[in-house]
Every structure is written in C-alpha cells, then in structure tokens.
C-alpha cells in the first residue's frame, strides 16, 4: 500500500505467524535467516539512485520521476 499510494518505500519482513517470538527463539531465528538478510541488504543498493537538481545544482521539490516499463511514478521530496 505505501509503495503504491505514497512515496514511502519502507519494507516489513515477517518470517512466520509469530510477530513477537520468545527471547529464547531469537538466536535460532537469526541463524536461520542471517545469510538471506545480508544478501537482501546487499541487493538494495542496486537500481537507480541519485539527486534531482536544476542547472544550478539545487534540489527540485515535487519532481515526477518516470521509469519506462514501470507503471509507478515517484515524486521527489521537499
């Protein structure tokens, strides 16, 4: 919802039905998912990123960013 209807690109990841596992389970959950999480964290640096500026190098507020083949535009912040 946040991605489609706002400029919020947050992500929540749930590993199961238990949102708050017991403290005694946390070490095993970490060991089970450590490599996947680290790989995901590496992958978030792929893609297009940068600043939208005018000819003087000043940021442009509320500029619409359009990427061909993706039916979801993004607006820059203030």
């Amino acid at each position: 919802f946040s991605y489609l209807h706002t400029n919020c690109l947050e992500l929540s990841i749930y590993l199961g039905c238990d949102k708050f596992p017991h403290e005694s389970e946390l070490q095993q959950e970490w060991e089970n998912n450590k490599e996947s999480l680290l790989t995901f964290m590496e992958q978030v640096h792929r893609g297009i990123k940068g600043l939208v500026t005018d000819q003087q190098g000043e940021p442009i507020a509320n500029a619409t960013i359009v990427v061909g083949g993706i039916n979801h535009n993004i607006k820059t912040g203030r």
Side-chain angles (χ1 to χ4, degrees), residues 10-63:
E10 292 178 350
L11 180 65
S12 296
I13 300 173
Y14 297 95
L15 302 174
C17 295
D18 188 359
K19 190 172 182 178
F20 302 104
H22 189 270
E23 179 182 355
S24 63
E25 301 172 43
L26 294 179
Q27 184 63 38
Q28 187 62 50
E29 288 292 339
W30 170 248
E31 291 173 16
N32 290 344
N33 297 285
K34 176 182 175 182
E35 290 304 316
S36 296
L37 179 60
L38 294 175
T39 300
F40 173 77
M41 291 170 64
E42 291 171 358
Q43 294 298 314
V44 300
H45 297 288
R46 296 181 56 168
I48 299 170
K49 54 187 165 188
L51 300 173
V52 178
T53 60
D54 62 18
Q55 292 178 341
Q56 289 73 39
E58 296 297 318
I60 300 174
N62 297 316

